[in-house]
Amino acid sequence: NVFRMNIAIDGPAGAGKSTVARKVAGQLGYIYIDTGAMYRAVTLSALRNRVEPENSAALSEHAKTLNIVLRPGEHGQLVYLNGEDVTDLIRSREVTLSVSQVAANETVRSVLTDMQRKLAQDKGVVMDGRDIGTSVLPNAELKVFLTASVQERALRRYREIGLSQGITLEQLEKEIASRDKLDAERDISPLVCADDAIVLDSTSMSIDEVAAAIVNLSRTKLAEAK
Ligand code: CDP
Ligand code: CDP
C-alpha cells in the first residue's frame, strides 16, 4: 500500500500557489484542488443573481443552493457551477474585485470547507488557498506557506492579465494589497501562516525551482513516514 499524503499550499495572491500546486500534483500523481476557484464560483453566482456581498443573510442562503463541482481538464482544473462550465468566467475582474468580501461570509466558508475536506479524504491531494493548513486540513502531512513581495506578485499578475484587461501595474499592486488585507484581517479563517508550515519566499525563484523544492519536501516527509 503506497503512502499518500495531503499537501496544503497557502499564501497571498500571486505568490504562485496554483501554478506550482498543479505542477507538484502532476509530478507526484496527486489531484490538484484550487479552493480559490470555489470562492470565485460563489462570487460569480452572487453577482449574477444580484445578491449583495454585504447582505450576509442573503449571501448565506444563496451559497447553500449552489452546486459547485471541480473536474480535472486537459489544461488544468475545470469549474462547474450548477452544471455550467465557468472556468474562464470566474477569472473576470468583477469577480476578483468582490471575491474577498464573499469569502469573509461564515456560511460560504463552512459550505466550501466541507466540500474541500471531502475531496481530500482519500489523501493524495495538493490543495491551495488561504486557510488550508490552518483550518481545512490541519492534519495535512506537508504545509507550505508560499509568499513573494507585493511588487513581484503584482508584476506577475501584470504579465498575465495587465495588457489584455487594460490595468496598470500600480493599480494591480493596490488591488492585490487590498485583497491581502481583507484576507488577512477577516474574523473567520484568515490568511495566516500555520505554526507548522514551511515558509517559501518565491520572490526570486522560478516556477520550476519552487515546484522542485516542494516535491523534495514531500519526499523527505515520505521517507520519514516509512
Ligand atoms: O489566484 P488568486 O490569488 O487571485 O486568488 P484565488 O486563490 O483565486 O482566491 C481568490 C480569493 O478567494 C482570495 O483572495 C480569498 O479572498 C478567497 N479564498 C479564501 O478565502 N480561502 C481560500 N482557501 C481560497 C481563496
Ligand atoms: O495562485 P496564486 O495567486 O498564488 O499565483 P499563480 O496564479 O499561480 O501565479 C501568478 C503568476 O505568477 C502566474 O502567471 C505564474 O506563471 C507566475 N509565477 C512566476 O512568474 N514565478 C513563480 N515562481 C510563480 C508564479
Side-chain angles (χ1 to χ4, degrees), residues 81-99:
L81 170 65
N82 298 332
E84 175 192 356
D85 181 350
V86 293
T87 310
D88 294 329
L89 290 172
I90 59 169
R91 303 288 154 196
S92 76
R93 199 164 147 65
E94 290 71 26
V95 170
T96 301
L97 289 174
S98 295
V99 63

Side-chain angles (χ1 to χ4, degrees), residues 13 35-36 39-40 100 103 109 129-131 157 179 183 186:
T35 65
Y39 288 93
R40 286 175 176 274
S100 289
R109 296 208 75 79
R130 301 291 185 288
D131 62 337
R157 270 299 138 79
R179 194 141 59 92
D183 291 344
R186 69 173 173 237

Side-chain angles (χ1 to χ4, degrees), residues 54-152:
E54 307 83 57
N55 186 340
S56 126
L59 181 58
S60 296
E61 281 317 302
H62 187 67
K64 288 186 210 158
T65 67
L66 301 179
N67 176 29
I68 294 165
V69 174
L70 304 181
R71 229 176 266 164
E74 227 176 289
H75 306 285
Q77 175 194 268
L78 299 174
V79 188
Y80 291 84
L81 170 65
N82 298 332
E84 175 192 356
D85 181 350
V86 293
T87 310
D88 294 329
L89 290 172
I90 59 169
R91 303 288 154 196
S92 76
R93 199 164 147 65
E94 290 71 26
V95 170
T96 301
L97 289 174
S98 295
V99 63
S100 289
Q101 212 179 351
V102 170
N105 179 285
E106 188 170 6
T107 310
V108 170
R109 296 208 75 79
S110 80
V111 166
L112 296 187
T113 299
D114 282 351
M115 289 181 55
Q116 292 154 10
R117 290 191 179 131
K118 285 201 187 100
L119 291 169
Q121 67 192 5
D122 296 332
K123 306 258 176 151
V125 156
V126 183
M127 194 177 277
D128 90 302
R130 301 291 185 288
D131 62 337
I132 310 308
T134 51
S135 165
V136 179
L137 306 175
N139 298 321
E141 285 77 3
L142 174 61
K143 299 180 187 179
V144 174
F145 193 83
L146 189 58
T147 177
S149 72
V150 69
Q151 291 81 7
E152 171 66 20

Side-chain angles (χ1 to χ4, degrees), residues 154-181:
L155 192 60
R156 288 177 185 173
R157 270 299 138 79
Y158 183 70
R159 293 197 194 107
E160 211 174 34
I161 59 162
L163 285 179
S164 62
Q165 297 194 6
I167 318 171
T168 65
L169 180 60
E170 291 69 34
Q171 207 173 345
L172 272 172
E173 191 174 320
K174 261 190 213 151
E175 286 174 13
I176 285 182
S178 123
R179 194 141 59 92
D180 286 355
K181 192 169 147 65

